[in-house]
Amino acid sequence: MSNTILLIVGASGTGKTTVANTLSKMFGMKQIQSYTTRPPRYEGEKGHIFVTDEEFNRLEKLVAYTEYGDYRYCATTEQVEENDIYVIDPDGVEYFKNVYPGSKTVKLVYLFNTRSVRFNRMLDRGDKFADVVSRLEQDDEIFSKERSDELIAMFDKRNVLRMPNMNKMTTVEKIVAFLNE
């Protein structure tokens, strides 16, 4: 799988990180830990490299960049070349498609779910009620049908898997089959 970078995108609570972690544990796939200027939500939080604005400004060869609220997120070419999976948002995917200079095949997995499933998952993982409501509202715009269609159209259809994530193991099995096509 080292010749492929798998971009996993989806609204908050669709299970992106859970699926990425499962792929890592079961198949040894390595995940990009994106750089971010946001503070950790809790001590020992994984999934990001937390940096100051000054440190972020010194990063080079960015292949993914997005802003969410007051915080910036990115990944570098070196990270993509050394990893297999990147959990990313639509703006990051668009940036990635426009600037990634590497040789890896880029495959997109677009996960979705109902608003109620996402709401409950975010509460179950410990997010505050007000934060959940705010993220759902933001995601309504970020993950609109039009935006989703635009994003998917950026890829060759053979390199896109769009699916609901109702069951982690079923989702993982379908992603593994997709990667092996």
Side-chain angles (χ1 to χ4, degrees):
M1 309 221 192
S2 60
N3 291 329
T4 300
I5 183 69
L6 180 66
L7 305 180
I8 302 178
V9 67
S12 302
T14 55
K16 302 174 300 290
T17 301
T18 299
V19 167
N21 288 342
T22 303
L23 288 166
S24 292
K25 287 177 189 167
M26 291 182 70
F27 300 99
M29 297 175 73
K30 296 187 294 183
Q31 293 183 61
I32 290 176
Q33 307 296 304
S34 61
Y35 291 97
T36 183
T37 58
R38 103 166 149 72
R41 292 184 183 119
Y42 53 88
E43 189 174 329
E45 180 181 354
K46 304 252 189 268
H48 299 290
I49 300 168
F50 300 96
V51 297
T52 64
D53 281 315
E54 294 76 23
E55 291 169 322
F56 194 97
N57 291 340
R58 289 194 298 269
L59 294 171
E60 297 179 353
K61 298 182 182 177
L62 303 186
V63 293
Y65 176 86
T66 192
E67 295 178 5
Y68 198 84
D70 295 331
Y71 305 114
R72 298 181 292 165
Y73 298 78
C74 76
T76 65
T77 301
E78 181 180 354
Q79 288 178 296
V80 172
E81 298 306 314
E82 295 175 356
N83 291 280
D84 307 300
I85 304 169
Y86 188 27
V87 174
I88 190 169
D89 79 342
D91 288 340
V93 171
E94 187 170 346
Y95 190 99
F96 188 95
K97 282 294 284 181
N98 288 327
V99 303
Y100 174 60
S103 60
K104 286 190 170 190
T105 300
V106 181
K107 292 197 171 199
L108 178 74
V109 171
Y110 195 107
L111 299 177
F112 61 91
N113 245 315
T114 65
R115 204 170 207 262
S116 62
V117 166
R118 294 173 30 235
F119 176 85
N120 289 322
R121 284 181 177 175
M122 287 188 276
L123 288 178
D124 288 346
R125 72 182 184 196
D127 291 6
K128 295 177 185 166
F129 182 84
D131 293 341
V132 170
V133 171
S134 175
R135 294 209 56 163
L136 288 171
E137 289 173 0
Q138 289 174 326
D139 284 353
D140 286 345
E141 182 178 328
I142 295 169
F143 293 92
S144 69
K145 170 92 169 87
E146 296 80 22
R147 181 71 169 121
S148 299
D149 290 347
E150 289 172 7
L151 193 66
I152 290 169
M154 296 174 70
F155 290 82
D156 181 310
K157 288 182 181 180
R158 295 171 297 178
N159 290 334
V160 175
L161 176 63
R162 185 176 191 277
M163 64 177 293
N165 180 21
M166 296 305 290
N167 176 285
K168 174 179 69 174
M169 291 314 298
T170 300
T171 300
V172 167
E173 289 170 6
K174 288 183 179 183
I175 291 172
V176 170
F178 168 63
L179 289 170
N180 290 321
E181 289 177 350

